[in-house]
Amino acid sequence: MRFRYAMVCSSNQNRSMEAHALLKRQGLDVASYGTGSHVKLPGPSLREPNVYDFGTPYKQMFDELRRKDPELYKRNGILQMIKRNLSVKLAPQRWQDNAGDGVFDVVMTFEEKVFDSVLEDLNNREQSLTKTILVMNLEVKDNHEEAAIGGRLALELCQEIEGNETWEDTIDDIVAGFEKQHRRKLVYSISFY
């Protein structure tokens, strides 16, 4: 493995965790995060989401939702999603609190506002290492089907990056090839640690 990857969505539940699970299974060095103020999961209605603090163990969420309404959360795929998350790591983590996790080479986000939050956070950090970091956004709707597609695309993109000695020299060609093949727009920026 040449590079260290971070997958980031809003709540560190669906899109980032799907990609995290796939990259981890393929042996890539990967972590995942959310950028929201809280972890939000669908509830019985749009006005009644289930809200948790980052760091709340996935097992606790799973048990609580299974007690509340097992049929609803099984039918909407939330219990299965959390079960997957349990196999990957203990609890959702917040990007803005990850400085102690070390540096990443590539950060993949799945929503424009998350991309903006990651860049803002990186720009506000002390940049003492002058190490480059590639931040990319692949727009993915926050549902189970799109997360599965987005996870596979993120894996393919990271494997393409991994196959190069340095991403700095090849990123334009990688992005152009990806966009042409998948007809999906990628946005990227370079930041520093």
Side-chain angles (χ1 to χ4, degrees):
M1 290 174 292
R2 287 194 173 91
F3 304 115
R4 188 156 187 248
Y5 301 90
M7 303 292 117
V8 187
C9 66
S10 185
S11 288
N12 197 202
Q13 288 286 346
N14 188 23
R15 297 164 293 179
S16 63
M17 287 300 292
E18 178 68 26
H20 185 163
L22 288 173
L23 270 70
K24 182 178 176 182
R25 276 199 301 268
Q26 293 299 313
L28 296 174
D29 185 0
V30 61
S32 61
Y33 303 92
T35 57
S37 54
H38 292 91
V39 173
K40 292 181 183 173
L41 292 170
S45 75
L46 286 175
R47 292 191 183 116
E48 301 174 271
N50 293 286
V51 179
Y52 298 94
D53 289 328
F54 279 95
T56 303
Y58 290 119
K59 175 85 170 102
Q60 181 180 330
M61 293 178 203
F62 182 86
D63 292 343
E64 183 178 305
L65 296 178
R66 194 170 55 183
R67 272 193 310 274
K68 278 184 178 179
D69 191 339
E71 286 306 310
L72 169 67
Y73 296 113
K74 186 174 184 179
R75 188 174 58 250
N76 68 11
I78 299 298
L79 289 178
Q80 296 91 320
M81 179 186 72
I82 296 173
K83 200 171 196 178
R84 177 210 53 216
N85 297 352
L86 275 163
S87 71
V88 176
K89 66 183 195 177
L90 177 67
Q93 296 168 273
R94 190 163 184 260
W95 170 263
Q96 294 89 333
D97 303 328
N98 84 347
D101 292 350
V103 297
F104 293 94
D105 299 290
V106 178
V107 176
M108 176 74 67
T109 65
F110 300 96
E111 185 177 348
E112 187 177 0
K113 73 176 184 174
V114 174
F115 177 77
D116 293 341
S117 293
V118 167
L119 287 175
E120 180 182 349
D121 178 68
L122 287 168
N123 289 333
N124 289 333
R125 292 184 186 190
E126 184 179 329
Q127 298 172 346
S128 58
L129 300 177
T130 60
K131 180 188 179 330
T132 56
I133 178 173
L134 174 63
V135 183
M136 305 182 80
N137 186 62
L138 172 65
E139 200 67 29
V140 176
K141 289 183 181 156
D142 193 5
N143 64 51
H144 301 301
E145 296 78 22
E146 286 294 315
I149 293 167
R152 288 191 301 273
L153 292 174
L155 171 62
E156 182 180 319
L157 193 54
C158 292
Q159 286 174 325
E160 181 74 24
I161 292 167
E162 191 74 18
N164 289 279
E165 195 63 38
T166 63
W167 60 259
E168 291 95 333
D169 298 334
T170 57
I171 192 59
D172 290 331
D173 293 335
I174 291 171
V175 167
F178 180 90
E179 289 179 340
K180 183 177 180 184
Q181 180 180 354
H182 297 288
R183 294 186 177 97
R184 284 190 180 236
K185 185 84 173 127
L186 285 175
V187 177
Y188 74 92
S189 182
I190 297 170
S191 193
F192 296 91
Y193 274 112

